[in-house]
Amino acid sequence: MENFQFNSNTQIFFGKGQISNLPNEIKKYGKKVLLVYGGGSIKKIGLYDTVINLLKDFEIHELNGVKPNPKIESVREGVKLCREHSIEVVLAVGGGSVIDCAKIISAATFCKEDAWDMIKKSIKTETALPIITVLTLSATGSEYDAGAIIANKSENEKLGYESELIRPKTSILDPEYTFTVSAYQTAAGSVDIISHILEQYFVPYSPFLADKLCEAVLKTVIKYLPKAIENPKDYEARGQLMWASSIADNGILSLGSRITAFSCHGIEHELNGYYDTTHGVGLAIITIRWMRYILNEKANEEILKRFANYGINVWDIDSNLEKLEISKKSIDLTEKFFKSLGIPMSLTELGIGEEHFEEMASNSVKYGFLEYAFVPLDKNDVIKILKMCL
Ligand code: NZQ
Ligand code: ZN
C-alpha cells in the first residue's frame, strides 16, 4: 500500500430534520452570515424559509442567483459583500455550484489579489471564512471535500482550486431536500459520482480494500439511481445517493492507492470554458469514449486487468471470459446504463461541434495534468477522444 495522510474534518449531520442543528453550528463562528444560493430551487422547496426562520437571531446577507458552472462574477460579488459587512460565516444552501462559489468567496475575501488570479495562480490561502453547507443535490461531493471549480467565460476557462481551509466545517445532508431534483439532474449528478469513483479506480496501483470500497459505492449508485428516478420521493434511494456523493470524492475510497490525474474530469472541465453543459452529462459522454479509446489504442496487460476487475466485480460479467471480452462488455454495459437514464450521449446532441477542440485539448492536458494520468494522454489523444464524442 502507498503511504497516506487523511483528514476530512467536516461535521456531518445526515438525515431527516438535521437542519435544526444549523443555528448551533453557525453560532460557533459568529453572527454575521453570508447566505449563498442559486436560482431559486431552495425557495420552491421551502428550505429558504426554514433557514431564515432558524436564523432569525443572526444577521443575514444574501448572495443569490449563483448559476450552474459558477461564474467568477458571483464570487467577486460575494467577496464584496463579505468585506463590506464583515461577514463571519459563509452558509451555502444548494448543489455543487453554490458550494463551490461559497468556498472561493470564503478564501478570496482575504486574498490581496482578484479571486480569479487567486485560482489561476494557485495563490495559497492563509485565512478563510468558515463554510457551512446544506446540500440539495447529490453529485459533486463538494460538501465533504476541499476543492472548488469556477468558470471564467471571458477567458473561456474553468479551473479548480484546493485548500484545506475551504473544506466545509459542517455539512447538513437531508435526502428529503433532493426529492425535487429533476430526473435529468439526478442522473447527471449520479454519473458525476460514478465518474469520481472510476477516476480513482483506473489507477496504476490500488489495494484490495480500496478496490472493494470503490466497487461497493459504484454498485450502490447503479442500484439506487433508477429507483430515485422512478420515484423521486424514495427516501432510501435518495439517501444512498446522497451519502455516496459525499464519500466518492473526498479520497476515503482510494486511501493507499496510487492516484493519478482525473482524466475524464480534465477533459470535461474544458467544455465549460465554452459551453454551459451539465457536468455529469459531459462526463457520461466523455467517459465512454475515453474507455473505448484507451482500450483500443493503448491497451496493455495493466489496462486489461483494470477493466476486467471492473467488469467482473461491478457488472457481474463471467470471470471465465477472456480479459479483452470482459473489458468490451464492461464498457457496453456502462454505456447502456447511461443511455437508460435518458441523458444526451453525444456532444452533437448538446449542439457542440469541433470548433474549439484544439484549445480545449491543450488546456485539458495542461490543467488536467493528463500526461501523468494512468493512461497518459497528449493533445492529439484528447482531440481524438473529443471527436469520438461528436
Ligand atoms: O440554481 P438552483 O435554483 O438551486 O437550481 C439548481 C441548478 O439549476 C438545481 N437544483 C439544485 N438542488 C435542487 C435543484 N433543483 C430542484 N431541487 C433541488 N433540491 O440543479 C441545477 C444544477 O445545480 P449545480 O449545483 O450546478 O449541480 P451540481 O451539484 O452537479 O454541481 C456542478 C458543479 O460542481 C463542480 C462542477 O464542475 C460544476 O461546476 N464540481 C465540483 C467538485 C468539487 N467541488 O469537489 C467536483 C466535481 O467533479 C465538479 O467538477
Ligand atoms: Zn465531478
Side-chain angles (χ1 to χ4, degrees):
M1 271 174 87
E2 301 279 314
N3 289 359
F4 62 82
Q5 289 185 2
F6 186 69
N7 180 7
S8 189
N9 199 10
T10 300
Q11 174 70 49
I12 298 287
F13 288 96
F14 183 95
K16 290 178 194 177
Q18 294 284 23
I19 194 79
S20 61
N21 293 292
L22 192 59
N24 275 341
E25 290 305 297
I26 296 185
K27 216 189 291 169
K28 292 178 187 169
Y29 308 102
K31 286 231 141 202
K32 295 181 176 191
V33 181
L34 180 71
L35 168 61
V36 183
Y37 59 99
S41 69
I42 69 159
K43 290 197 170 162
K44 284 193 200 128
I45 65 177
L47 181 54
Y48 174 85
D49 288 341
T50 305
V51 168
I52 295 295
N53 282 333
L54 282 168
L55 301 185
K56 51 183 178 305
D57 296 332
F58 293 78
E59 180 183 319
I60 309 285
H61 298 269
E62 293 189 18
L63 173 70
N64 60 28
V66 174
K67 295 199 168 65
N69 305 315
K71 313 295 178 279
I72 192 66
E73 289 78 11
S74 289
V75 173
R76 291 188 182 121
E77 216 184 310
V79 167
K80 197 162 163 270
L81 288 169
C82 286
R83 290 180 181 157
E84 263 173 27
H85 301 288
S86 306
I87 293 294
E88 294 166 305
V89 191
V90 181
L91 170 62
V93 184
S97 296
V98 166
I99 298 174
D100 282 5
C101 183
K103 284 174 162 177
I104 300 296
I105 291 169
S106 92
T109 295
F110 299 101
C111 184
K112 290 194 177 68
E113 298 199 34
D114 174 64
W116 184 248
D117 292 327
M118 182 189 90
I119 298 171
K120 196 154 182 178
K121 296 187 209 164
S122 298
I123 297 173
K124 194 167 182 276
T125 294
E126 304 291 350
T127 319
L129 289 165
I131 297 157
I132 292 183
T133 84
V134 181
L135 184 66
T136 65
L137 201 170
S138 306
T140 66
S142 188
E143 66 278 8
Y144 205 13
D145 72 22
I149 326 274
I150 299 293
N152 183 337
K153 285 285 167 196
S154 64
E155 298 196 10
N156 295 125
E157 278 179 338
K158 189 182 192 200
L159 297 177
Y161 185 83
E162 284 210 19
S163 164
E164 273 308 312
L165 295 175
I166 61 171
R167 192 185 285 283
K169 300 284 183 214
T170 299
S171 284
I172 293 176
L173 315 179
D174 183 340
E176 290 185 327
Y177 298 146
T178 64
F179 284 176
T180 49
V181 177
S182 66
Y184 185 87
Q185 288 291 347
T186 300
S190 290
V191 172
D192 193 18
I193 301 171
I194 290 172
S195 173
H196 293 155
I197 304 169
L198 294 178
E199 305 269 33
Q200 298 167 80
Y201 189 79
F202 281 83
V203 289
Y205 165 75
S206 59
F208 182 81
L209 178 58
D211 269 1
K212 292 299 137 193
L213 289 172
C214 286
E215 288 158 6
V217 186
L218 284 169
K219 281 193 147 230
T220 303
V221 178
I222 292 164
K223 174 170 177 173
Y224 284 99
L225 172 57
K227 292 179 192 287
I229 290 178
E230 197 185 313
N231 175 10
K233 293 190 177 168
D234 182 333
Y235 181 85
E236 191 62 23
R238 292 292 194 181
Q240 301 268 343
L241 294 180
M242 190 169 240
W243 187 231
S245 146
S246 299
I247 56 174
D249 200 30
N250 80 344
I252 197 165
L253 300 182
S254 56
L255 295 176
S257 297
R258 195 173 311 140
I259 293 293
T260 54
F262 275 32
S263 306
C264 297
H265 274 70
I267 302 172
E268 200 285 329
H269 284 155
E270 290 309 317
L271 285 180
N272 293 145
Y274 292 90
Y275 311 98
D276 254 324
T277 46
T278 301
H279 178 57
V281 171
L283 285 172
I285 295 168
I286 290 163
T287 299
I288 300 301
R289 278 58 176 219
W290 171 80
M291 286 179 156
R292 292 229 155 87
Y293 187 77
I294 64 167
L295 189 65
N296 294 340
E297 306 291 328
K298 312 263 178 183
N300 56 30
E301 197 46 39
E302 216 184 337
I303 294 174
L304 284 174
K305 211 173 134 202
R306 284 281 81 199
F307 272 114
N309 266 348
Y310 172 62
I312 294 164
N313 297 320
V314 177
W315 294 106
D316 303 320
I317 298 170
D318 181 356
S319 60
N320 294 315
L321 297 173
E322 291 290 324
K323 283 200 193 86
L324 182 61
E325 197 180 345
I326 300 174
S327 303
K328 285 182 180 162
K329 277 183 187 287
S330 75
I331 302 175
D332 290 345
L333 287 170
T334 310
E335 185 175 32
K336 195 171 160 209
F337 181 67
F338 289 170
K339 278 189 175 156
S340 75
L341 305 173
I343 52 175
M345 282 306 292
S346 72
L347 292 180
T348 310
E349 283 172 75
L350 298 178
I352 296 176
E354 54 187 289
E355 50 280 7
H356 299 299
F357 281 3
E358 288 273 332
E359 302 92 310
M360 279 162 43
S362 40
N363 278 346
S364 61
V365 172
K366 181 173 160 193
Y367 294 117
F369 304 103
L370 298 189
E371 278 160 334
Y372 307 101
F374 165 54
V375 179
L377 300 175
D378 63 20
K379 183 178 162 185
N380 284 331
D381 292 318
V382 178
I383 291 177
K384 285 183 195 157
I385 292 172
L386 285 168
K387 285 189 174 166
M388 289 166 73
C389 293
L390 286 170

